[in-house]
Amino acid sequence: MSKKNPQVNNPYDHSDLPKAKNIFVYSYRCFMKIFAIVVFGVGAMFLAIFVFPFIRLFAGKKKDFGIVARAYVSHTFRIFLTWLHYFDTSLRKVDDVEFYKNIHSKVIISNHPSLLDFVYIMSLVPNSTCIVRGGLTKTPLAGVIKQAYITNTTEFDDVLVECKKLIDKGCNVIIFPEGTRTPRKGHNNYKKGAARIALYCNCDVQPILIGGSDKYGLGKNDPLWSFNPVEHYLYDFKHLPVIETSEYKDLPEAIAAKRLTDKMEEVIRTAAKEYNQNPASKTVNNY
């Protein structure tokens, strides 16, 4: 499979999207999106300042602070997403909720169309950590990220060690192999980090496809005052067959990482192509 990105002048271009039919509904959803971002940031600071210290105090040595903290974050994410649904902003479709709850000791990979991808996956898979962008430590999310998650600015050898500790405890590691949000047109090449972590941790890879409606407004380079002009945000989650790493273990490290990365990219892109060929799967209700 070719790894080259198709020649696209602006892969994040949204000029082909239709115009909003109802400017009042569109404005309401733009406002609610911005308000939700503020609520999310304030909530993260509240967790870091007031909730996490109590978790450290009462968890003691009996339980791992990170596991308890991330489980609590997952619960608050579910509340946050329910709130978004209630205010007619974001909807969710899941092929099998119980399946996600029962994922253990896996590297979870996914495409990355929007800002909410991590929030949704964490709400579905509570026993997970995530490798997040280091720049987020300079935002209101810093307190939560520094205490409970792994940043991509951490030395990679340290990342490997930390991931193995967590996976050996039954936790999962969520990684977006593109390293940035998936463009609206074309694609980003996959990085080898997820494959290297899976091989080092001796665990399998669980691919997830995020489908649904266009996430304009939450994609890379989208204006703050923007939203899908004709639909809600629909997040449609499809779990794909597990990628076993056993067939790559006898290969030299660099070759194994390259082939496993290619396999992950092939699985996600094939599923996305099949999904996108069915227009009905991507729509919600027009307004």
Side-chain angles (χ1 to χ4, degrees), residues 26-98:
Y26 179 79
S27 299
Y28 164 77
R29 289 195 169 124
C30 288
F31 171 79
M32 287 305 301
K33 183 198 75 173
I34 296 171
F35 183 57
I37 292 172
V38 174
V39 170
F40 192 86
V42 172
M45 290 190 291
F46 180 85
L47 286 176
I49 296 171
F50 297 105
V51 177
F52 280 9
F54 281 95
I55 294 177
R56 288 188 184 276
L57 179 65
F58 292 107
K61 297 182 179 179
K62 295 181 180 180
K63 294 184 178 180
D64 183 283
F65 164 77
I67 293 176
V68 177
R70 287 186 291 270
Y72 195 90
V73 170
S74 175
H75 177 70
T76 60
F77 281 175
R78 288 193 292 274
I79 294 174
F80 175 75
L81 293 170
T82 299
W83 176 73
L84 290 183
H85 188 171
Y86 179 79
F87 283 99
D88 199 30
T89 303
S90 180
L91 307 175
R92 187 193 77 176
K93 285 172 61 179
V94 183
D95 45 4
D96 184 353
V97 173
E98 290 303 316

Side-chain angles (χ1 to χ4, degrees), residues 9-15 17 33 112-115 133 180-185 188 215-227:
N9 291 330
N10 179 9
Y12 295 95
D13 177 60
H14 57 269
S15 60
L17 289 175
K33 183 198 75 173
H112 189 17
S114 81
L115 287 171
R133 182 166 55 86
T180 188
R181 273 166 279 174
T182 306
R184 194 167 276 103
K185 302 171 183 177
N188 299 312
K215 309 301 189 298
Y216 175 59
L218 295 176
K220 188 173 182 178
N221 301 326
D222 291 345
L224 183 61
W225 186 266
S226 60
F227 202 93

